[in-house]
Amino acid sequence: MLEIRGLDVAYGDYQVLWDVSIDVAAGEIVAILGPNGSGKSTVLKAIIGLCRARSGTIRFEGNDLARLAVHDRAGIGIAMVMERRRLFPAMTVRENVLLGAYPAAVRHDAEARLGWVEGLFPILRERGAQPAGRLSGGEQQMVAIARGLMAKPRLLLMDEPYLGLAPKVVLQINDIIRRINAEGIAVVFNEQNVNLSFALAHRGYLLESGRLMLGGTGQEMLHSDVVRRVYLGE
Amino acid sequence: MTAMPIALYIEQIVNGLVAGSMYALVGGGIALIYGTMRVLNMAHGEFYMMGGYAAFYLVGRSVPPVLAIPLVAGLLFLVGAAVQRLTVHYLLRQDGWLFACIAATLGLSIAFQNLALIVFGEDYKTVPYYVEGILRLGDIRLPLQRVLMLLVAVGTLLAMGFLLKKTRFGWALRATSQDSDAASVCGIPVSRVHMITFGLSAALGGVAGAMLAPIYSVSPWMGLPVLFKGFVVVVLGGLGSFPGAIVGGLLLGIVEALGVQITSAEWRDVFGFALMIVVVWARPWGLFGKAP
């Protein structure tokens, strides 16, 4: 469903991605792995449009995304949970979640989806009237995922979903992601920790200094010499 | 200071509220733009000026004020949206946009003043009161024009508050002001929100210009002092806070009116700026702003 070919991204003169190609099939969970500064986040930002490709193509269900503005991508089935949640802190939890259903294409059945999302995250009902900025990191992550799901995505991007969360919350988030995936939603997330990632992901891609080093299933990657070299510098 | 009848003070407080409601309209517009785009609109006084001229010509062609005021608001909305789309829109995408926007809107301010000078001439235009008569409550006397100003300001600000709190667009505007990248990821067309916000801000300024036109006269330079008052209001309330600008505006109006009552008219601005200095000294982030 997602097809990235030969993606180059640069911030000014500083190139961060070189010739990256990634595929995601419908209903898959894919991890993008790599050390700090390897360009993992940039891949996700390029998919949602927050940074522009210098060359290469990104296709979603056959559509070339280069022609779509960031705000158009939510309406065609791509949602993103951004790094550090990025909720609207002065708005209530309920307002944050409902804003996820802003695109005209998904507005009409927002109420029904709100019911489903509130089932996944009981906290939305309990704290719906509170400003989102008052919640703890883990609670905010739940609201951020809920906001993403309100756009009725077929592809959910998650930028550093575990960042700054307690181990117990990480397990909770994993459980939620599995349930989301069971509904047929493909999930692409990035994370440094290889073991943690393959507790969840079906497949992964390894980036180093902006170049794709390896792609494969969890078993393949956990036993790969390349992974060991990238992380341990052997 | 000698003892004065209490009614005189009440009258001054009411006058201060009326003036303050106009400050709130102007400051609210500046706060709206600053809050959403972080742009300090130096041309805001000229939206106010255009509101004054629009009122002068509409009322002069015997359009009834009930119709003229909404027309002025609509016209200025279009002007504001066009100004944003043709200038600020392009600057926001570039490095150094912060200064570029200040410089560009300052340039627009000068250009609009000179355009008004060429088109409308340098003579001061006077606009008749929209309503004649005086409201008497006991010892308090209040011209109906001032009552109307207060009602229009309150109505306009309430409508704005409703828009921000209860409508889809208002949610989109608030989301954009808090995190524009996150808003666009949610599917909110941030550029369009910016353009409409500019239009709404200009409409608020235009309504203030139209309502004050019968009190002060209309001229190409009427915007500048109002811009300064607007900045005081926005700093008082907390940069970019719309409710803060309303409270700041009313407070400024009342403090000025009472200050003038115990001294004389030329001290008006001294009280206004002294109030700002005191507030900024005690709460640098303003009354409604967030402490860093």
Side-chain angles (χ1 to χ4, degrees), chain A residues 82-95:
Chain A
M82 298 167 81
E83 187 177 341
R84 300 203 171 274
R85 280 83 65 179
R86 302 286 287 269
L87 297 179
F88 306 115
M91 299 180 82
T92 66
V93 166
R94 193 181 153 78
E95 287 172 331

Side-chain angles (χ1 to χ4, degrees), chain A residues 72-232:
Chain A
D72 288 328
R73 302 184 194 205
I76 64 162
I78 306 177
M80 177 158 170
V81 177
M82 298 167 81
E83 187 177 341
R84 300 203 171 274
R85 280 83 65 179
R86 302 286 287 269
L87 297 179
F88 306 115
M91 299 180 82
T92 66
V93 166
R94 193 181 153 78
E95 287 172 331
N96 266 278
V97 173
L98 284 175
L99 272 169
Y102 192 86
V106 298
R107 222 171 267 177
H108 59 283
D109 54 353
E111 283 297 321
R113 222 156 35 257
L114 184 64
W116 171 59
V117 170
E118 283 176 340
L120 284 175
F121 304 101
I123 187 162
L124 301 180
R125 276 211 193 89
E126 292 156 17
R127 319 197 60 172
Q130 289 190 17
R134 296 247 186 90
L135 304 186
S136 72
E139 291 167 337
Q140 288 193 13
Q141 186 66 301
M142 314 238 170
V143 177
I145 297 172
R147 185 174 71 181
L149 292 176
M150 287 301 286
K152 209 179 180 176
R154 292 182 295 285
L155 172 63
L156 181 67
L157 309 172
M158 302 182 80
D159 197 354
E160 307 271 5
Y162 304 130
L163 197 69
L165 300 184
K168 200 181 117 204
V169 182
V170 168
L171 294 180
Q172 257 178 302
I173 298 283
N174 275 358
D175 186 46
I176 297 279
I177 295 176
R178 280 192 204 98
R179 286 169 69 181
I180 294 167
N181 182 245
E183 303 279 331
I185 298 171
V187 177
V188 177
F189 69 99
N190 59 8
E191 166 58 38
Q192 279 190 49
N193 186 317
V194 179
N195 288 307
L196 189 59
S197 299
F198 283 111
L200 195 63
H202 305 133
R203 286 192 307 118
Y205 289 93
L206 176 71
L207 285 173
E208 188 192 18
S209 309
R211 291 173 204 273
L212 197 62
M213 305 307 287
L214 185 70
T217 64
Q219 280 307 310
E220 288 162 5
M221 294 197 58
L222 286 169
H223 298 106
S224 151
D225 292 341
V226 182
V227 173
R228 206 164 297 143
R229 183 187 60 71
V230 167
Y231 277 95
L232 302 176

Side-chain angles (χ1 to χ4, degrees), chain A residues 2 47 58-60 63-69 73 76 78:
Chain A
L2 183 75
I47 299 171
I58 306 176
R59 290 178 168 277
F60 177 70
N63 298 312
D64 185 357
L65 292 184
R67 279 173 298 171
L68 292 180
R73 302 184 194 205
I76 64 162
I78 306 177

